[in-house]
Amino acid sequence: MTSLGRRVASVLAVVVATALIIYAGVHFLAVNDQVTAAASSETATVTVAVPAFTTETTAPRTTVPESDTPVTSAAVSQDVAWGSCRKGLVNDPYPGRCHDYSDTNGDDICDLSQPDPAASGAASTLAAIPSTGVTDAGTAGGLLTGGCPFGPCVACGACFS
Amino acid sequence: MTLRNRLLLDGLMLGAFVAAYRPSWTGFSIHEWLSLALVVPTLVHLVVNWDWVVRTIRRFCSKLRVTARLNLVVDVALFLSVVTVMLSGLLVSEAVMGLFGVAGAKEGIWYRVHSVSADAAILTVAAHVMLHLKWMVRAARRRVLRGPGAGSGAAAMRPALSPVRVRVPRGAGDAHDPAGRRYR
């Protein structure tokens, strides 16, 4: 093998070995995180992907749960430092500008730039919103509640605030 | 590799690296493809300087200039951060992995690793550039002074290889030269 060939082979070997070690290390940490999270959420019975926000308002968007089981949003907000973006960003989309991107609810918005759904008082009123719920006029067909954070009253249609 | 090509490669790499630092500057698609394209020149840069790396590592614990030692530490940190940022970037990428029909990693930890390693990489790149600033300025000045044709061919390399006196203590030879011969 020529000198150049040897050098190329050495470089590639070192790069691949380093990448594998880093991958294994981070994967190990990720698995550990998941195990810890699973252990601490044993009491939570229902989880739901909840909060997302329109850009116009800071009111929480509520995704309607499949069942009529009351939902405690504590299950959603655990282990997430909601609203603690160190740059004070609000609704920071993927991949985020504050370098701490975390998206537990899968809405492609950094959790740290969103307020805690539990703290917003949603826990008490988040129960059993009918699946024929409100469609936000500002977004295409989604079950959003831009101006009506917790959806309308089933009986009278009035907006909870 | 000629001086001109090395300078060109390093300059382009630096520019691309800075441009790829923030996805918001270029958009995600360009950010991902530009970062992927940086893999090849980074490997070339590593291959070109591999001998220096091996030699310096071998002599790290023996007699070695402080600047060379510092260079090696910065370079190792840069290597680790660049490999980490490339790996995590590839794993969370949507444009690149999407092309191959592979879904990117969704674990939040990879996003955090990507962000932290990107910061570390840009800092170590800055340190790397600062440590090599003198060489870069000298090489660029030589290229400017000798005109656009300079640096293409062995003749153009001659000024860069002008004789340099190296003081080697008696008996303390290079790792490749157990006899301890003096280099001139």
Side-chain angles (χ1 to χ4, degrees), chain A residues 3-4 6-8 10-12 14-15 18-20 22-23 26-27 29-30 33-34 86-87 93-97 99-103 108, chain B residues 21-24 28 32 43 46-51 79-80 83-84 87 91-94 106-113 115-116 118-119:
Chain A
S3 168
L4 179 66
R6 254 201 314 272
R7 269 192 285 175
V8 171
S10 306
V11 166
L12 288 178
V14 170
V15 168
T18 309
L20 282 175
I22 290 168
Y23 181 83
V26 175
H27 189 70
L29 287 176
D33 267 7
Q34 283 169 1
R86 56 192 163 97
K87 290 189 177 177
Y94 166 84
R97 283 176 292 159
H99 283 201
D100 296 320
Y101 188 81
S102 165
D103 184 19
D108 284 342
Chain B
Y21 175 55
R22 285 256 184 245
S24 52
F28 287 112
E32 291 183 12
L43 288 176
L46 208 52
V47 167
V48 166
N49 295 290
W50 188 248
D51 283 345
F79 173 75
L80 290 176
V83 171
T84 309
L87 177 70
L91 285 171
V92 301
S93 75
E94 291 178 356
K106 280 293 169 196
E107 292 103 332
I109 196 165
W110 283 111
Y111 293 103
R112 286 199 293 278
V113 166
S115 297
V116 172
D119 284 346

Side-chain angles (χ1 to χ4, degrees), chain B residues 44-145:
Chain B
V44 171
H45 183 85
L46 208 52
V47 167
V48 166
N49 295 290
W50 188 248
D51 283 345
W52 177 86
V53 173
V54 172
R55 204 167 52 235
T56 311
I57 287 174
R58 280 182 181 161
R59 294 170 59 178
F60 193 77
C61 293
S62 59
K63 284 196 176 231
L64 196 64
R65 279 169 177 263
V66 177
T67 47
R69 219 178 279 260
L70 184 64
N71 260 321
L72 186 69
V73 171
V74 168
D75 289 357
V76 169
L78 178 58
F79 173 75
L80 290 176
S81 55
V82 166
V83 171
T84 309
V85 78
M86 295 272 186
L87 177 70
S88 57
L90 205 60
L91 285 171
V92 301
S93 75
E94 291 178 356
V96 174
M97 296 298 261
L99 191 74
F100 301 107
V102 181
K106 280 293 169 196
E107 292 103 332
I109 196 165
W110 283 111
Y111 293 103
R112 286 199 293 278
V113 166
H114 190 59
S115 297
V116 172
S117 57
D119 284 346
I122 207 79
L123 283 174
T124 43
V125 161
H128 185 73
V129 169
M130 291 305 289
L131 287 170
H132 291 83
L133 199 59
K134 204 182 271 182
W135 175 84
M136 289 170 79
V137 169
R138 209 168 47 218
R141 194 177 291 161
R142 187 169 295 146
R143 164 121 180 81
V144 169
L145 287 179

